[in-house]
Amino acid sequence: MANFQITPSAAFVEITELNFSNLYLFHTSLGSNQNQSVIIDSNATTGLGSTVVNNWSICDGPSPGATVVARAQGLHIYAGNWQNTFSITFEIERFKGSTLQVMGISVEEGEWAIVGGTGQFAMANGVIHKKLHEQRSDGNIIELTIHGFCPVLKSEVS
């Protein structure tokens, strides 16, 4: 039998706000720098079901020599729109090993939802604003602005 328990907490919650801008996601579907791959082809009749795994690099600038600060690792599935589910795994020293969990529809302009996180971003929520920066023959560069919040539990002060 199910047991549902809610326990009051004496901890105070402080909120940390995340504001990351000038980040560029490199979505490269062709060529030697390809960072995604089809793992399931679509249904021939409906066109639905294509599944693609991705390891998109997120850099601190749009130029080829920009530093990789994180990777968007996960998958996207075609279900009338491209549905994305991935983790942004940070590689820069300040946030190394911390992640943001992301979901949403893949379009050049719009938002993805931040639905969780780990490490310094534990229990994060918020949005990632995205817009097309550059369309190239091998893929696109998408500009990202991350705006989110993370609770920080603090002990009660006596």
Side-chain angles (χ1 to χ4, degrees), residues 1-112:
M1 178 167 274
N3 179 14
F4 298 97
Q5 183 176 4
I6 299 174
T7 306
S9 174
F12 294 103
V13 176
E14 182 179 292
I15 301 294
T16 300
E17 186 173 0
L18 308 176
N19 282 302
F20 303 159
S21 58
N22 301 315
L23 296 174
Y24 296 86
L25 183 146
F26 286 76
H27 173 260
T28 309
S29 54
L30 301 170
S32 60
N33 292 325
Q34 182 177 349
N35 57 14
Q36 66 179 39
S37 181
V38 175
I39 57 173
I40 300 174
D41 287 324
S42 64
N43 178 285
T45 305
T46 65
L48 301 174
S50 182
T51 304
V52 180
V53 64
N54 54 272
N55 185 19
W56 299 322
S57 54
I58 299 174
C59 298
D60 62 0
S63 65
T67 301
V68 174
V69 297
R71 297 196 179 275
Q73 300 170 320
L75 52 90
H76 47 290
I77 300 168
Y78 188 75
N81 284 303
W82 284 101
Q83 304 293 322
N84 293 267
T85 303
F86 58 89
S87 298
I88 295 180
T89 305
F90 286 85
E91 296 183 356
I92 56 172
E93 193 60 39
R94 181 174 177 191
F95 304 122
K96 191 166 185 70
S98 295
T99 67
L100 291 172
Q101 307 310 310
V102 179
M103 295 181 77
I105 294 174
S106 184
V107 292
E108 282 78 19
E109 308 283 329
E111 296 176 337
W112 283 317

Side-chain angles (χ1 to χ4, degrees), residues 103-142:
M103 295 181 77
I105 294 174
S106 184
V107 292
E108 282 78 19
E109 308 283 329
E111 296 176 337
W112 283 317
I114 299 170
V115 297
T118 65
Q120 292 185 49
F121 309 130
M123 300 190 302
N125 63 36
V127 294
I128 299 175
H129 300 279
K130 56 194 168 87
K131 68 179 183 178
L132 180 64
H133 175 75
E134 181 182 348
Q135 191 167 18
R136 305 180 320 177
S137 60
D138 63 347
N140 297 329
I141 300 174
I142 309 294

